[in-house]
Amino acid sequence: MALKAIPVADVPNFDHASFIPDNSTILSPTCIFSSGTLEKVEEGKKAYKLGKNFVVMGHRGSGMNILQSSDPRMKRLKENSIISFNHAAQFNLDFIEFDIQVTRDDCPVIFHDIHILTKDQGVISEKRVTEMTLEEFLSYGPQKASGKVGKPMLRKAKDGSIFEWKVENDAPLCTLQDVFEKVDTSLGFNIELKFDDNKVYDEVELKRILHAVLKIVDQHADQRSHIIFSSFQPDVVQLLRKLQHDYAVFFLTNGGCEIYADPRRNSLEAAIKHCLEAGLQGIVAQVRAIFRHPAMVAKIKESKLCLVTYGQLNNVPEAVYMQHLMGVEGVIVDCVEEIKEAVSDFSKTIRKEAEDDCSSINGTEKEERNRSPVKFSDRELSFLLKLIPELVQN
C-alpha cells in the first residue's frame, strides 16, 4: 500500500482529561482586553499552504541550546544567532523559527528567554529583555567589535538550576534587521513573538510591540519569499491579523499539555475555534497533543487550517514519519540535519510506492482509492501506541 497523508478518524482517540497531571499549575492570563467578536472564516476560503512538500523548520535556527544536556548537538551552535541560521540553510530547510522580543527603545531583537542572566563579581543578576535598551541588550555575550568583551551570559533551566551559557560555536546577539540582512535568502522565516505568561499586557502595549516588528518586516519583506508569524499569546495573533493581511499568522498551542487561565490555550479544539474567529491561517501544536488526539488532525484540516508541530519528539525520525502519514504539514526540529535527511528519504519512498501503485490500477480504481481513507498499518499503530507511556509521564 502506498503511504501518503491520510485521514485519521479511525485511529483510537484517548481521553483528554486523563493526560492532565493532577498537579497542573493554572498559569496567569497574559492580557486584560477581551477577544471581541470576529467573523467566522468564509466557507469557501482557500486553505493556506506552507509548500508543496512536507516542511521542516529549524528550531531557533539549527536547534535550541540545552546546556544541561549530554547531547553535544544541543551545545554546538548558539541558538537564535546568525551563524545558527545560516548553518541551517546548508541542509536545504524550508524555514527557520526564531523568537522576537522588543526592547524598551522599540527595537525587535532575537532572544528566547524573558530574562537575561549574568554574573558580576560572583553575584548573579537577571533583567527583562523588554526593559533594556538595544545597546544594553547587545552588551551581553560575544561582541562584534574586536577586543571588546561582553557581559557573561548564564541561563536558568526550568527546574531553576543555572548554567553558564557555553557552546562550541558562540556568536553575538542580534536584531531582527540583522537576520533579514545577513541570513541566506533561501530560508523562510517563522517569526515567533514572545510574551511573558506571568505579565498582563494591554492593547496599547501590544500595538507598540507589533508595530515595531512590522516596521522592520515591511522594510525587508522583498528579500524573503516566505514569512509567517506565530505566538502563544491569543490576543497577539488576533491583533496581528487585524493590523496586517500580507503575512500568515499561526496560533501556537501546547494543546492542553499545560493548563492556563485563558481557556483559548488549553486544547486543540479551543485553538481551532480561536483561529477561525480571528481569521488565522494555521496552528503550531505541541506534538504530544497531536499524538494524544490524532483525530484532531482531520478536524484541523477540515477547518482549512495549516498544521505544524513542535517539541522534542520531533527529533525522532519515526515520530516525524508518523505525522506525515497523519496529514501534519510540517515540523519544527532541533536535529535539522538528521530530520531533513530522514524526511527526504521517506518522501522519496512514498512517491515511488505511489507511482508503482498507480501504474498497476485502472482509472476507476485510482479514483476510488483516492476517495477512500487509507488505514494505518499494524506497524504504524504499534509505534503510536508505544508513545502513550511517555505522553502520560510528561
Side-chain angles (χ1 to χ4, degrees):
M1 178 185 70
L3 300 175
K4 57 183 177 180
I6 60 177
V8 291
D10 295 330
V11 177
N13 205 349
F14 309 103
D15 177 40
H16 179 72
S18 68
F19 289 100
I20 298 176
D22 293 335
N23 61 348
S24 294
T25 303
I26 303 296
L27 301 179
S28 301
T30 52
C31 243
I32 60 174
F33 65 94
S34 63
S35 61
T37 302
L38 295 170
E39 293 182 1
K40 296 279 186 179
V41 173
E42 307 88 10
E43 285 294 324
K45 184 175 180 180
K46 186 177 180 181
Y48 177 82
K49 293 291 183 183
L50 283 172
K52 294 180 180 180
N53 301 314
F54 189 77
V55 169
V56 178
M57 300 186 184
H59 186 211
R60 307 182 199 173
S62 296
M64 68 185 293
N65 295 151
I66 305 180
L67 303 174
Q68 65 272 32
S69 174
S70 60
D71 187 342
R73 293 175 299 181
M74 299 296 105
K75 295 175 280 188
R76 187 167 294 156
L77 293 161
K78 183 69 163 286
E79 69 176 38
N80 278 329
S81 69
I82 300 298
I83 62 168
S84 182
F85 299 151
N86 282 326
H87 182 264
Q90 298 177 27
F91 305 109
N92 196 30
L93 292 190
D94 306 284
F95 283 80
I96 50 171
E97 177 271 355
F98 54 84
D99 307 284
I100 290 288
Q101 298 183 62
V102 174
T103 62
R104 183 159 53 88
D105 50 351
D106 293 337
C107 182
V109 296
I110 315 298
F111 200 74
H112 174 271
D113 300 354
I114 298 301
H115 298 88
I116 292 185
L117 279 70
T118 192
K119 182 185 285 187
D120 183 21
Q121 297 181 350
V123 178
I124 296 174
S125 62
E126 65 178 25
K127 189 168 183 179
R128 284 180 178 272
V129 172
T130 55
E131 292 177 354
M132 299 179 180
T133 63
L134 173 62
E135 182 179 10
E136 184 179 1
F137 172 77
L138 294 177
S139 70
Y140 287 79
Q143 299 294 292
K144 296 176 183 178
S146 178
K148 190 174 181 182
V149 178
K151 299 174 186 176
M153 290 178 63
L154 309 176
R155 191 173 213 181
K156 184 182 291 185
K158 286 186 176 181
D159 64 2
S161 54
I162 296 175
F163 298 85
E164 181 183 0
W165 202 325
K166 188 175 182 180
V167 294
E168 185 179 337
N169 296 281
D170 211 341
L173 298 176
C174 60
T175 68
L176 180 58
Q177 183 170 337
D178 289 333
V179 175
F180 270 105
E181 293 176 346
K182 298 176 182 178
V183 171
D184 192 311
T185 56
S186 68
L187 289 169
F189 287 171
N190 174 1
I191 302 173
E192 181 186 339
L193 299 154
K194 296 292 295 187
F195 291 87
D196 186 352
D197 288 328
N198 298 307
K199 181 181 177 181
V200 175
Y201 296 86
D202 62 28
E203 190 168 2
V204 173
E205 185 173 10
L206 291 183
K207 282 186 174 180
R208 177 188 70 82
I209 293 167
L210 295 181
H211 280 304
V213 173
L214 288 172
K215 179 181 178 181
I216 298 297
V217 173
D218 289 343
Q219 289 173 350
H220 299 275
D222 58 344
Q223 302 175 17
R224 196 73 41 181
S225 57
H226 298 292
I227 299 170
I228 63 174
F229 289 103
S230 60
S231 182
F232 283 103
Q233 223 289 357
D235 291 310
V236 165
V237 290
Q238 175 181 299
L239 182 57
L240 185 57
R241 194 64 189 147
K242 288 182 178 181
L243 293 175
Q244 62 80 38
H245 286 85
D246 293 328
Y247 314 107
V249 182
F250 283 40
F251 183 33
L252 268 157
T253 179
N254 60 37
C257 296
E258 293 179 61
I259 303 304
Y260 296 82
D262 189 329
R264 293 172 295 178
R265 302 186 64 178
N266 290 337
S267 69
L268 293 171
E269 293 93 337
I272 293 173
K273 183 175 184 291
H274 184 58
C275 286
L276 294 179
E277 290 177 345
L280 309 183
Q281 284 72 37
I283 292 172
V284 182
Q286 164 61 257
V287 60
R288 288 190 287 116
I290 294 300
F291 281 132
R292 291 175 184 183
H293 301 280
M296 288 305 300
V297 176
K299 292 184 179 181
I300 292 170
K301 307 290 281 184
E302 288 166 5
S303 300
K304 298 184 179 178
L305 295 169
C306 185
L307 175 61
V308 175
T309 67
Y310 73 93
Q312 291 194 36
L313 272 174
N314 281 350
N315 295 316
V316 180
E318 292 83 359
V320 173
Y321 170 70
M322 196 69 178
Q323 291 175 74
H324 179 74
L325 294 174
M326 294 167 70
V328 174
E329 290 163 80
V331 288
I332 299 173
V333 308
D334 296 296
C335 301
V336 293
E337 182 177 5
E338 294 87 341
I339 298 302
K340 183 64 179 179
E341 182 178 356
V343 169
S344 178
D345 288 345
F346 72 61
S347 296
K348 289 176 184 175
T349 301
I350 289 170
R351 282 196 297 270
K352 184 178 186 305
E353 291 181 352
E355 289 169 1
D356 292 344
D357 262 11
C358 287
S359 65
S360 63
I361 59 178
N362 61 40
T364 302
E365 288 174 322
K366 283 183 186 179
E367 188 176 343
E368 289 177 354
R369 187 168 295 190
N370 287 333
R371 285 200 304 261
S372 301
V374 181
K375 298 182 184 296
F376 282 109
S377 68
D378 290 341
R379 171 180 172 272
E380 293 153 5
L381 274 175
S382 175
F383 171 73
L384 181 59
L385 293 172
K386 283 177 181 176
L387 289 172
I388 300 307
E390 181 178 349
L391 300 181
V392 175
Q393 196 172 33
N394 289 288

